[in-house]
Each structure stands twice: as structure tokens, then as C-alpha cells.
């Protein structure tokens, strides 16, 4: 099983694709780990100056997967519940085992292994209590095993130091002395 960890906002940009004489071109697009429908937009112009455009989509889907919904940032010392969603789009019910992989940046405040029964076509969520211990950019990885299928996801979160951030700007001319007391 491969852990999904590549979740860019923009999948691919090619600003200067040249076609053959018939107007055809081939691209190899590296796909990300996002389970979504990617919007494909194309803009083109001919050698004679004619313009054209088109929109379509690339659907990326799997019948069974897990996802983590992190906030943009956390603060060292936070105690919160990580929202985890499990998607069972299979035709059969299954009992899913969720396993939180250990990390040195957080402490689990509950069980690191959770059993979750899911009906066919059901989406369910659990909340995993943690305490944030270390500042930095960190991954949380969760493995979901259900029947014959498994999925793993790693999401990244920025952990800020505790305290209050205060920003300011001091300016002056280079030939003068500029002083500012903090």
C-alpha cells in the first residue's frame, strides 16, 4: 500500500505547447494523490491568429479511502481533535481499522487504533484527540484497512510557537540614524 501525500492546488501548467501540422499534441501529466475532479482548461491560438478554448475534467477516484482535515496551522500546546473521514463507496459493508502512525511532534490523547464499521456506500468520520508538542512543518499519517482494501494518507500541518505574533515596520533615510525600541 502506498501512502498518499501529494496534494497540490494546481496539478499542471504548460504555457507553450506546440502542436503538429494537424493541431495534435501529446502531454504526459504527473497526477497527484488528490481524490477529486481536476478542472482542465485549454487556451490556444493558431499561426493565423485564431483563438480557441475548452474546459473539461479528469476524475480521480477510488472506492475506499481515508482523508484528514487539518486546519492551516496549529499552535504548540494545542489539544484538539483531528477530523478524519473514511469513504466506503463499495457495494458491501466493512469494518475499517484506522491506525495513526507515531510522530514525535504530537501526543495521542486517545487510542491510536480505531475500529469503524461502515455500511455499503457510507461515509463516516472520527475525531482523533492529540496534543501538539513541537514547532515546525509536520506530517500526520493515518492508515485505513478495510477487508481486502487499504489506503493511507499523510497530511502536512504547520505548527507555530505558542505566544502572540507581533509584526511591525520601521523605516527611515539611510543617511540618518534610525532607532526603534521594542
Amino acid at each position: 500500500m502506498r501512502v498518499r501525500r501529494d496534494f497540490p492546488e494546481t496539478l499542471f501548467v504548460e504555457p507553450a505547447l506546440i502542436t503538429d501540422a494537424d493541431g495534435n499534441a501529446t502531454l504526459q501529466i504527473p497526477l497527484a494523490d488528490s481524490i477529486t475532479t481536476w478542472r482542465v482548461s485549454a487556451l490556444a491560438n493558431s499561426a493565423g491568429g485564431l483563438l480557441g478554448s475548452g474546459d473539461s475534467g479528469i476524475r480521480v477516484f477510488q472506492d475506499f479511502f481515508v482523508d484528514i482535515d487539518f486546519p492551516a496551522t496549529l499552535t504548540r500546546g494545542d489539544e484538539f481533535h483531528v477530523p478524519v473521514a473514511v469513504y466506503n463507496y463499495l457495494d458491501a459493508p466493512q469494518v475499517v481499522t484506522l491506525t495513526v502512525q507515531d510522530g514525535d511532534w504530537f501526543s495521542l490523547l486517545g487510542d491510536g487504533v480505531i475500529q469503524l464499521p461502515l455500511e455499503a456506500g457510507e461515509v463516516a468520520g472520527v475525531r482523533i484527540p492529540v496534543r501538539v508538542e513541537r514547532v515546525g512543518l509536520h506530517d500526520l499519517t493515518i492508515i485505513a484497512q478495510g477487508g481486502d482494501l487499504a489506503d493511507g494518507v499523510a497530511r502536512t500541518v504547520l505548527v507555530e510557537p505558542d505566544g502572540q505574533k507581533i509584526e511591525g515596520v520601521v523605516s527611515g533615510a539611510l543617511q540618518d540614524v534610525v532607532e526603534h525600541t521594542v
Side-chain angles (χ1 to χ4, degrees):
M1 179 204 54
R2 186 176 70 81
V3 174
R4 297 178 299 110
R5 61 181 68 246
D6 181 25
F7 303 101
E9 292 295 320
T10 301
L11 182 61
F12 183 80
V13 174
E14 175 55 69
L17 180 65
I18 308 291
T19 65
D20 62 17
D22 295 325
N24 297 314
T26 301
L27 288 173
Q28 291 200 7
I29 300 173
L31 291 179
D33 293 327
S34 304
I35 296 174
T36 188
T37 298
W38 291 97
R39 184 181 67 198
V40 178
S41 298
L43 303 171
N45 64 285
S46 71
L50 298 175
L51 301 176
S53 66
D55 289 306
S56 187
I58 298 174
R59 183 174 185 243
V60 179
F61 183 76
Q62 58 190 49
D63 292 329
F64 171 71
F65 62 98
V66 62
D67 202 5
I68 301 169
D69 186 18
F70 262 145
T73 61
L74 295 170
T75 303
R76 180 179 51 207
D78 280 351
E79 291 186 6
F80 83 111
H81 290 81
V82 178
V84 176
V86 183
Y87 300 79
N88 180 31
Y89 292 121
L90 298 168
D91 294 333
Q94 60 180 339
V95 176
V96 176
T97 302
L98 294 175
T99 304
V100 180
Q101 290 189 343
D102 291 334
D104 62 356
W105 67 274
F106 68 92
S107 298
L108 283 170
L109 301 177
D111 291 332
V113 177
I114 299 167
Q115 297 285 317
L116 182 64
L118 290 175
E119 295 298 323
E122 183 180 7
V123 177
V126 297
R127 295 165 39 96
I128 299 171
V130 299
R131 179 178 29 255
V132 180
E133 307 287 355
R134 287 189 45 217
V135 171
L137 199 57
H138 302 290
D139 285 346
L140 178 69
T141 303
I142 296 183
I143 305 298
Q145 177 71 48
D148 295 333
L149 298 177
D151 185 44
V153 65
R155 291 286 188 167
T156 302
V157 66
L158 175 62
V159 177
E160 302 275 358
D162 45 345
Q164 185 176 7
K165 185 176 184 178
I166 299 174
E167 296 183 75
V169 176
V170 176
S171 60
L174 289 179
Q175 63 266 26
D176 295 332
V177 174
V178 177
E179 291 184 20
H180 182 73
T181 303
V182 177

